[in-house]
Amino acid sequence: GAVVSQHPSRVICKSGTSVKIECRSLDFQATTMFWYRQFPKKSLMLMATSNEGSKATYEQGVEKDKFLINHASLTLSTLTVTSAHPEDSSFYICSASLDSSYPNYGYTFGSGTRLTVV
Amino acid sequence: ELKVEQNPLFLSMQEEKNYTIYCDYSTTSDRLYWYRQDPGKSLESLFVLLSNGAVKQEGRLMASLDTKARLSTLHITAAVHDLSATYFCAVTPSGGGADGLTFGKGTHLIIQP
């Protein structure tokens, strides 16, 4: 239980275009979701915290106008990378927190999206 | 600023050997998480350590937490090739699920036959 489905798993886009990444909680309601970015051979860095029905909270140094986050329902959060550039190429992972009623208590992660901007 | 320091960052070891990965952190949180990541994949949850002195074991992996020392360890016993992966520890500022995780840099573990 408590699965987060993330799509697409891989996307290649041209520089200057926008890409939308979706994360859906399949069997639970995610009031809060988190978006991370991971560059090759690096750790995960928290980009923003997405709260259902309110504005996302961005970490220092993350451009909110470039990385648009929408959390319009309890089961869907989206990250849109606007005017993508090659330096935005990365592995993006979403996550939701789970309470102790779940076997995988803590945080559950989506399968990730590999974004390549050419 | 919350800091999470893992060491070693790279570890090459032989099968059947034992080794320990260390995770030091700066928050006062009493909760710490361990994850495994295979190349090109997302994170797999290994352990959630919820209190001082917590010890959890799964197969050849055992994790412990000392909140007073702000130190967690991930011990590998009699390593096998299948355990080759990158291991991350992570904490939150408050320990609760309302905050995102701050990760260590990860330990890239290679286990050779």
Side-chain angles (χ1 to χ4, degrees):
Chain A
V3 174
V4 172
S5 176
Q6 184 172 346
H7 292 281
S9 59
R10 189 178 297 265
V11 59
I12 301 173
C13 72
K14 290 185 177 180
S15 188
T17 61
S18 296
V19 173
K20 180 185 284 189
I21 302 169
E22 291 189 350
C23 269
R24 294 181 184 274
S25 55
L26 297 185
D27 48 4
F28 70 104
Q29 293 183 329
T31 305
T32 303
M33 295 191 85
F34 307 94
W35 289 92
Y36 297 87
R37 179 168 55 183
Q38 184 180 32
F39 291 110
K41 300 192 184 302
K42 299 293 185 182
S43 186
L44 282 78
M45 297 295 293
L46 178 66
M47 298 175 66
T49 300
S50 160
N51 293 295
E52 186 267 336
S54 63
K55 290 184 178 181
T57 304
Y58 291 82
E59 296 299 304
Q60 192 171 10
V62 177
E63 300 175 60
K64 61 180 181 181
D65 294 331
K66 181 171 186 60
F67 298 99
L68 300 179
I69 292 173
N70 185 282
H71 195 156
S73 77
L74 287 171
T75 58
L76 175 64
S77 178
T78 62
L79 168 67
T80 301
V81 182
T82 63
S83 187
H85 290 283
E87 57 265 31
D88 299 322
S89 298
S90 188
F91 192 49
Y92 293 87
I93 308 174
C94 63
S95 173
S97 60
L98 303 169
D99 63 35
S100 58
S101 65
Y102 290 95
N104 49 339
Y105 170 53
Y107 295 82
T108 185
F109 289 82
S111 55
T113 298
R114 176 80 55 195
L115 171 64
T116 303
V117 184
V118 298
Chain B
E1 180 187 347
L2 177 52
K3 293 185 178 180
V4 183
E5 302 283 345
Q6 261 182 264
N7 72 84
L9 298 182
F10 182 82
L11 178 57
S12 179
M13 54 192 291
Q14 291 183 318
E15 283 189 323
E16 298 302 317
K17 299 292 186 183
N18 303 331
Y19 212 82
T20 302
I21 300 170
Y22 297 88
C23 177
D24 293 278
Y25 59 95
S26 62
T27 180
T28 55
S29 168
D30 59 359
R31 196 178 298 182
L32 187 135
Y33 306 82
W34 283 98
Y35 296 94
R36 168 180 173 149
Q37 186 178 37
D38 292 299
K41 304 292 185 181
S42 186
L43 299 185
E44 173 190 352
S45 179
L46 294 176
F47 300 108
V48 180
L49 302 171
L50 299 175
S51 61
N52 186 41
V55 177
K56 289 193 175 181
Q57 183 166 3
E58 181 73 32
R60 300 173 187 271
L61 301 178
M62 183 173 71
S64 65
L65 178 61
D66 181 344
T67 59
K68 293 181 181 178
R70 298 183 188 176
L71 170 68
S72 181
T73 61
L74 180 65
H75 187 72
I76 303 157
T77 302
V80 292
H81 178 69
D82 286 352
L83 291 179
S84 296
T86 299
Y87 293 86
F88 293 97
C89 62
V91 295
T92 66
S94 64
D99 300 313
L101 290 162
T102 297
F103 287 84
K105 291 185 176 180
T107 297
H108 183 48
L109 175 63
I110 296 176
I111 299 169
Q112 311 202 21

